[in-house]
Amino acid sequence: MECKICKIELVGKSKFLCNICTNKRHKITCKKCDKECEFSPGYIRRIDLDTFKCKQCKLNGVGNPNYGKKWSEEKKKQFSEYQKNKVDEKFRENCAKGMKGKKVSEEAKRKRKITNELKLLNGYIKPEMSEITKEKIGKKSSSKFTEEYKQKMRIINEKNGVWIPLENKNDYKFYRDISNWVGQVITENTIGIENLKNGVLFNKENKNKNKPLYVRDHIFGRKNGFNMGVFPEIIRHPANCQIITHGDNVRKSFKNNDTEIELNELFNKIINWKLDYFEQSLSIELIKRYNRGDRYDKNEYISKIKEYKYVKI
């Protein structure tokens, strides 16, 4: 017997495909309309390649009274609402029963890893996603993550023991997290921006590349900000951002004094900031509060998060 795809002689127990063809998808041409269709090895085992017809040519509306018809926008909306009304907590719980309370064994993980490596070795190429599709997914995902949704996820994960309750979280780690950058903070005025002409920003995907790796760094450090009670919105302002090497950033993290400018210098940079920034007016108000003697208070930020009044959880 020979392989249905590459026609080489089969060895072992396989009756349809060789080991190479079993581990990748294949394009088959419709004998009627010449359309190329991509199928998994499992589907190819079940079809006759010499008489193959695509779904459209094969059915051509037979047995389908709605063939060629399209739903109106109103009909789509009605059906969407109908489906949404079916989904409640009990429905979600039933959907999750299959793996609830189960743990994937190390052996299963190992087999999955070997399978993925075999696919790559045998020429499998993961289908690329178009920019339009990426944009659609991004917009849909962003609309999902409302403050109410984030708070709901926090309650669920705290209850299940996955997340540490905010009240129990280490004081400095809590401050460090909410003082981190929000959104795009690199501008043409950012100190060290010229380094990105020959280097790239560090992340887990490019850590092994040959180009120099850089990171966004707080000029007035978060350690000093925490010790002095500076409000997190001031620390994460773009005026406090610089581009330095990943190595310098790691070395800086071990220092007790992680600050390169005086606090008043940072205040002046923020007050004189000319570019658009969504927290600009809030930052200036917090500088005034700090100068009046007010200081950062963890409980104040926990309350804001729980009341959906904070930009970051």
Side-chain angles (χ1 to χ4, degrees), residues 11-208:
V11 293
K13 296 181 180 179
S14 179
K15 296 180 180 179
F16 302 100
L17 301 175
C18 65
N19 290 338
I20 294 175
C21 294
T22 301
N23 289 304
K24 60 182 179 180
R25 295 173 69 86
H26 301 277
K27 290 183 178 179
I28 308 299
T29 304
C30 173
K31 300 301 180 184
K32 185 175 181 181
C33 67
D34 292 329
K35 177 184 175 182
E36 272 197 345
C37 305
E38 189 175 295
F39 297 115
S40 66
Y43 185 78
I44 288 175
R45 288 189 184 99
R46 304 193 300 269
I47 63 175
D48 183 355
L49 299 183
D50 296 327
T51 59
F52 168 74
K53 292 181 183 178
C54 65
K55 190 174 181 180
Q56 190 173 1
C57 292
K58 185 178 179 181
L59 298 178
N60 202 24
V62 176
N64 181 8
N66 292 315
Y67 180 74
K69 296 180 182 178
K70 289 187 178 181
W71 279 16
S72 65
E73 291 301 320
E74 185 180 354
K75 185 73 175 176
K76 289 179 184 177
K77 192 173 180 181
Q78 286 176 359
F79 189 73
S80 176
E81 291 299 323
Y82 167 72
Q83 290 293 91
K84 286 177 182 176
N85 290 334
K86 286 168 57 177
V87 180
D88 54 16
E89 289 303 320
K90 188 174 181 181
F91 181 89
R92 290 191 178 97
E93 191 175 327
N94 288 333
C95 290
K97 277 183 178 178
M99 286 298 291
K100 191 172 184 180
K102 296 180 182 178
K103 188 176 180 181
V104 180
S105 67
E106 292 301 321
E107 179 64 16
K109 289 179 184 177
R110 188 185 68 81
K111 285 182 179 178
R112 189 180 300 163
K113 184 180 178 183
I114 291 171
T115 302
N116 289 334
E117 288 174 353
L118 274 173
K119 284 182 178 180
L120 294 173
L121 285 172
N122 289 309
Y124 171 76
I125 300 173
K126 188 177 180 181
E128 290 188 6
M129 192 181 295
S130 69
E131 292 301 319
I132 295 173
T133 304
K134 288 179 183 177
E135 189 177 345
K136 284 181 180 178
I137 293 172
K139 287 180 179 178
K140 194 72 176 176
S141 180
S142 298
S143 64
K144 172 185 174 181
F145 285 89
T146 61
E147 297 307 318
E148 291 81 0
Y149 176 81
K150 290 178 184 177
Q151 184 58 17
K152 181 182 176 183
M153 292 304 298
R154 172 158 289 284
I155 291 169
I156 292 171
N157 284 309
E158 285 183 0
K159 183 180 177 182
N160 293 337
V162 179
W163 290 359
I164 300 173
L166 295 175
E167 294 82 356
N168 300 338
K169 195 170 183 178
N170 176 277
D171 290 346
Y172 172 65
K173 287 183 178 179
F174 178 84
Y175 179 86
R176 184 189 63 188
D177 288 347
I178 61 176
S179 299
N180 205 4
W181 312 114
V182 177
Q184 177 60 265
V185 294
I186 296 177
T187 70
E188 66 271 18
N189 298 327
T190 300
I191 297 172
I193 186 70
E194 66 281 355
N195 292 324
L196 297 182
K197 291 179 180 178
N198 299 316
V200 293
L201 283 176
F202 173 84
N203 61 52
K204 64 180 181 180
E205 293 178 357
N206 64 22
K207 61 183 178 182
N208 295 321

Side-chain angles (χ1 to χ4, degrees), residues 269-282:
K269 288 181 72 175
I270 293 173
I271 291 168
N272 295 319
W273 187 259
K274 302 299 182 186
L275 301 175
D276 287 337
Y277 180 57
F278 75 103
E279 285 185 332
Q280 178 65 14
S281 57
L282 174 60

Side-chain angles (χ1 to χ4, degrees), residues 236-287:
R236 69 186 189 211
H237 193 282
N240 194 33
C241 180
Q242 66 176 347
I243 306 296
I244 65 173
T245 65
H246 177 59
D248 286 342
N249 186 251
V250 172
R251 285 185 283 274
K252 184 178 175 181
S253 67
F254 289 104
K255 295 179 181 179
N256 291 325
N257 184 357
D258 59 350
T259 294
E260 299 178 20
I261 60 173
E262 296 294 328
L263 185 57
N264 282 332
E265 288 183 61
L266 176 59
F267 285 173
N268 289 333
K269 288 181 72 175
I270 293 173
I271 291 168
N272 295 319
W273 187 259
K274 302 299 182 186
L275 301 175
D276 287 337
Y277 180 57
F278 75 103
E279 285 185 332
Q280 178 65 14
S281 57
L282 174 60
S283 300
I284 292 174
E285 181 58 37
L286 291 172
I287 289 172

Side-chain angles (χ1 to χ4, degrees), residues 147-152 154-155 158 164-168 174 298-313:
E147 297 307 318
E148 291 81 0
Y149 176 81
K150 290 178 184 177
Q151 184 58 17
K152 181 182 176 183
R154 172 158 289 284
I155 291 169
E158 285 183 0
I164 300 173
L166 295 175
E167 294 82 356
N168 300 338
F174 178 84
K298 180 181 177 181
N299 293 326
E300 177 186 344
Y301 282 83
I302 289 175
S303 298
K304 286 180 181 179
I305 290 171
K306 290 186 175 180
E307 294 171 8
Y308 320 134
K309 293 180 180 179
Y310 195 60
V311 74
K312 196 171 186 183
I313 292 184

